[in-house]
Amino acid sequence: MTTYLIQNAAVLGGEPTDLLLADGVVREMGPGLSADGAEVVDATGLVALPGLVDLHTHLREPGREDAETVETGTQAAAMGGFTAVHAMANTEPVADTAGVVEQVWRLGREAGFCDVYPVGAVTVGLQGERLAELGAMADSAARVRVFSDDGKCVSDAVLMRRALEYVKAFDGVVAQHAQEPRLTEGAQMNEGELSGRLGLTGWPAVAEEAIIARDCLLAAHVGSRLHVCHVSTAGSVEIVREAKRKGVDVTAEACPHHLILTDELAATYDPIYKVNPPLRTAADVEALRAGLADGTIDIVATDHAPHPHEDKDCEWAAAAFGMLGLETALSVVQATMVDPGLLDWAGVAERMSYAPARIGRVADHGRPLEVGAPANVVLYDPAARRTIDPTESASLSRNTPYRGMELPGRVVATFLRGRPTVLDGKLA
């Protein structure tokens, strides 16, 4: 394996130093390093972060290879600085058996751009009627520890309680898509004055908040781990904050698009902005940023949701929910959290690497950059600026909401166990 000597990298934004990557680990750190035969990477002006970990990615394979494959999705992940992703279960067939999760896990290993940790479905076929083979998936080669019916809510309180009880046996976590189904029938966008004016059925904040409140009570009752997917409202932030204050073992994520975009974009009727949960108000955006800054919201997760042209380029009501996120997440976090002074780069590492790895119980990722640690490293140029062009995406799909928008920063290199998956801003 090639040895890489990274020179003058600002680790977590600190003083420039060198990192020697050899045999899959960080072999040495410090100023003025040298190594015969090593390939030198000049990181002057770049920030070095631990490889990012995404707890919420849709890779679509098996079943929707027209939207994304494990290979193209992990290429997009690498371009965004990720070295590990958790692949959601709403594939076709659903990842609700040991066989399907092992298939996704193996596809990730074969592609080799980042490690893929399959998320197992909570219920068979995501139907919310009976529990899936949670134990078998946990015992499989994929060693599943995160379970979610994402895209659908586990709305039956008894089933949710049973799932929370079951996963305790192997230190798993249930990641809930918080959406009360009856309150969101036919929902198209955030409920408010604008939805009424546009004639689109509203998705009320209380439909998310009611499920989060219920699940926090259930998690406290059975003493299990709960993770809340894509928190989108100010009320949800307050509920999670209060549950944590009371000692409930709950974690939560915010998505980049909910940190930067608002429901006003629905007025364009451009379905590129249609997502579930929907874009919310400016006040919700501010509450999410504050919650992420103070640790109420533990992590940033992308909810990367690729869709083919025919599923998004149509009238709003017929369009699929979801948008791309892997390749732009770090830039959005810089724009919304770092540049305004809400987070420093150490805070970014905590919320985009350490914490998601802890929640997903991933041992080889989310580790500080130190001698002996796995050489999962991102080199990022915070001074760069780029205009987002969907045609340049490594994803198989093009449904980015940032089309034509100028965002700060650029991933220059990503190393997975000391091997570059991205170098000079291109797939290696």
Side-chain angles (χ1 to χ4, degrees), residues 21-160:
L21 313 184
D23 302 321
V25 301
V26 180
R27 184 65 64 195
E28 294 183 59
M29 286 181 66
L33 296 182
S34 62
D36 291 340
E39 186 163 330
V40 175
V41 178
D42 182 6
T44 303
L46 306 183
V47 172
L49 298 169
L52 307 183
V53 178
D54 191 20
L55 202 67
H56 193 151
T57 302
H58 296 274
L59 293 178
R60 302 302 191 206
E61 191 175 7
R64 287 305 306 268
E65 291 83 355
D66 57 328
E68 194 78 285
T69 66
V70 171
E71 181 174 12
T72 61
T74 53
Q75 288 175 341
M79 290 293 289
F82 292 89
T83 54
V85 298
H86 287 72
M88 279 295 172
N90 58 342
T91 50
E92 300 175 9
V94 171
D96 56 5
T97 65
V100 178
V101 296
E102 286 187 348
Q103 178 188 3
V104 174
W105 174 72
R106 290 199 171 91
L107 287 169
R109 288 171 63 91
E110 290 168 7
F113 290 96
C114 71
D115 289 339
V116 175
Y117 297 89
V119 174
V122 176
T123 66
V124 174
L126 309 179
Q127 294 302 303
E129 296 174 350
R130 57 191 175 92
L131 290 182
E133 300 173 1
L134 307 184
M137 289 188 278
D139 291 339
S140 72
R143 294 187 54 77
V144 176
R145 290 296 179 271
V146 182
F147 297 87
S148 180
D149 276 3
D150 183 58
K152 294 183 178 179
C153 179
V154 182
S155 60
D156 185 311
V158 175
L159 265 181
M160 187 62 182

Side-chain angles (χ1 to χ4, degrees), residues 213-224:
R214 182 204 73 175
D215 287 352
C216 285
L217 292 170
L218 287 173
H221 183 65
V222 304
S224 188

Side-chain angles (χ1 to χ4, degrees), residues 392-406:
E392 296 177 351
S393 174
S395 171
L396 208 54
S397 294
R398 297 289 177 263
N399 53 304
T400 172
Y402 311 114
R403 176 184 55 206
M405 183 183 295
E406 185 179 82

